[in-house]
Amino acid sequence: MFRSKKSAVSISIPRAALDSIFDECDKYNADETGGRLIGTYCGKSRSYEIKVSGVIGPGPNAQRSGTSFFQDGSYQEEVFRSVEARHPEVEHLGNWHTHHVNGYPTLSGGDIATYRNIVNHQNHNTDFFYALLVVGKNAGRGSRYDVKHYFFRRSDETVYEVPPSDVRIVECPLISPHEPDPTRHNAGHSVDKRQSPANPERAKDKEFFDEFYPELKALFSEKIGAPYWKGPLTLVDGSTVDIVAVESAGGATLEYSIITSPDNQVCTDAASAYKERKFPAARHAVLRLEKDLNQVVYRNRK
Ligand SMILES: [Zn+2]
């Protein structure tokens, strides 16, 4: 079940991320603890480059014992949305948790079942799940703790252990969930408050997506200074493609463009035609793209 050769995955993780993980470990020497790993990735077919850029803590309502750990999901979701509002490129890459307290040197059967469920879930944002496991505490020299890295793929039963030679520890600052963030309380549902100029399409988009596409979330990007919609679009064959519909000022009126996650092979051609296209509202962009992608899927059926 475990396989350490040819995972075709490389991971880079800032030393500061490991330090923040180890700081959390220092607080719990009898109970398991953990958190979420966020960052970016690029993936071509089976090979992935994972770049960790931040860590989200377990949250105030996490539940721990010597052999189990449950994260505070709603806290982590709120923190993630606030990070995402400033860094739209950031994704949830996976989780980390500890076993050094119970001495179990690898993922448990329960861990594997949980991560498989996550990676195969239709609303999961990527086709992989990265799990970092803290397996031992070091007294004295070297790193404070020993860690292992695991990689799960959608529709693949194998648990890949990523060998240390494919993990790079880099010196760079973390995206901090605790940076002051004026958009924090706007992420998710209060985009309307930021209208500048007033755009009635935003309210119509919101009503439409809330009712028909609840997986798409309204967010605000400080970086581009505009609201956008992000989430998975489910196609006729049950596959999903991640989309982002971004608002931009085109002269006197606002317009929308739409992009898809770059690694969906089937949809790349159809979606690339959308790079230059502009739409009067986000819902127009989403509906057109969905229709075109469904046609591609239908034509390519076996
Ligand atoms: Zn575990």
Side-chain angles (χ1 to χ4, degrees):
M1 183 166 56
F2 285 87
R3 189 181 294 171
S4 57
K5 57 175 183 188
K6 283 282 158 246
S7 59
V9 179
S10 66
I11 292 164
S12 85
I13 184 163
R15 191 174 303 281
L18 291 171
D19 282 338
S20 102
I21 288 170
F22 298 161
D23 289 347
E24 172 70 21
C25 292
D26 283 345
K27 289 192 235 161
Y28 295 95
N29 52 21
D31 287 342
E32 291 192 10
T33 188
R36 283 219 223 175
L37 301 166
I38 58 174
T40 55
Y41 69 96
C42 37
K44 275 261 152 62
S45 61
R46 302 292 291 162
S47 99
Y48 283 99
E49 270 181 65
I50 305 289
K51 224 173 148 180
V52 177
S53 54
V55 179
I56 299 179
N61 295 318
Q63 290 172 32
R64 301 176 177 79
S65 77
T67 51
S68 70
F69 168 66
F70 300 98
Q71 323 231 16
D72 180 349
S74 54
Y75 162 86
Q76 293 177 326
E77 185 68 16
E78 193 191 342
V79 173
F80 181 73
R81 294 301 164 204
S82 85
V83 170
E84 192 183 40
R86 281 173 286 118
H87 305 277
E89 74 286 1
V90 164
E91 296 278 3
H92 176 210
L93 300 174
N95 289 2
W96 72 270
H97 76 289
T98 56
H99 276 185
H100 68 282
V101 289
N102 52 40
Y104 197 66
T106 185
L107 295 176
S108 69
D111 294 332
I112 291 169
T114 303
Y115 297 151
R116 275 202 187 123
N117 279 341
I118 294 173
V119 76
N120 289 309
H121 195 279
Q122 61 164 356
N123 289 344
H124 185 60
N125 57 335
T126 62
D127 284 334
F128 66 83
F129 189 87
Y130 166 39
L132 184 154
L133 186 68
V134 177
V135 291
K137 185 168 185 167
N138 292 321
R141 64 197 185 83
S143 177
R144 280 186 280 165
Y145 292 87
D146 289 330
V147 299
K148 288 183 177 174
H149 306 262
Y150 299 93
F151 196 75
F152 294 76
R153 298 169 187 277
R154 197 185 289 275
S155 310
D156 183 344
E157 287 291 289
T158 311
V159 179
Y160 296 89
E161 183 177 342
V162 183
S165 55
D166 292 336
V167 180
R168 221 155 36 95
I169 296 170
V170 295
E171 306 293 339
C172 68
L174 290 187
I175 289 178
S176 162
H178 305 298
E179 290 170 40
D181 175 24
T183 68
R184 184 186 170 90
H185 297 289
N186 291 317
H189 30 249
S190 310
V191 163
D192 313 20
K193 284 184 196 145
R194 304 188 61 100
Q195 291 192 356
S196 59
N199 177 9
E201 295 302 338
R202 284 185 194 159
K204 288 190 205 163
D205 277 343
K206 177 162 169 38
E207 199 181 320
F208 177 80
F209 289 130
D210 281 354
E211 187 161 0
F212 299 108
Y213 293 79
E215 322 74 47
L216 298 183
K217 302 286 182 243
L219 297 162
F220 188 89
S221 164
E222 270 313 292
K223 201 164 68 183
I224 53 177
Y228 65 100
W229 291 87
K230 180 180 178 182
L233 199 60
T234 304
L235 303 180
V236 282
D237 62 344
S239 67
T240 60
V241 53
D242 290 320
I243 61 109
V244 180
V246 190
E247 185 180 302
S248 60
T253 57
L254 288 165
E255 53 189 27
Y256 290 80
S257 49
I258 189 163
I259 52 170
T260 59
S261 64
D263 58 328
N264 187 309
Q265 211 56 53
V266 179
C267 299
T268 304
D269 290 345
S272 67
Y274 277 75
K275 277 195 186 119
E276 306 300 325
R277 292 183 65 176
K278 302 289 181 195
F279 299 87
R283 63 191 183 282
H284 293 226
V286 169
L287 287 174
R288 287 297 327 170
L289 178 69
E290 183 183 30
K291 197 173 163 197
D292 281 0
L293 294 182
N294 277 336
Q295 281 178 0
V296 171
V297 169
Y298 182 73
R299 276 200 303 270
N300 288 351
R301 75 196 187 282
K302 297 267 152 41

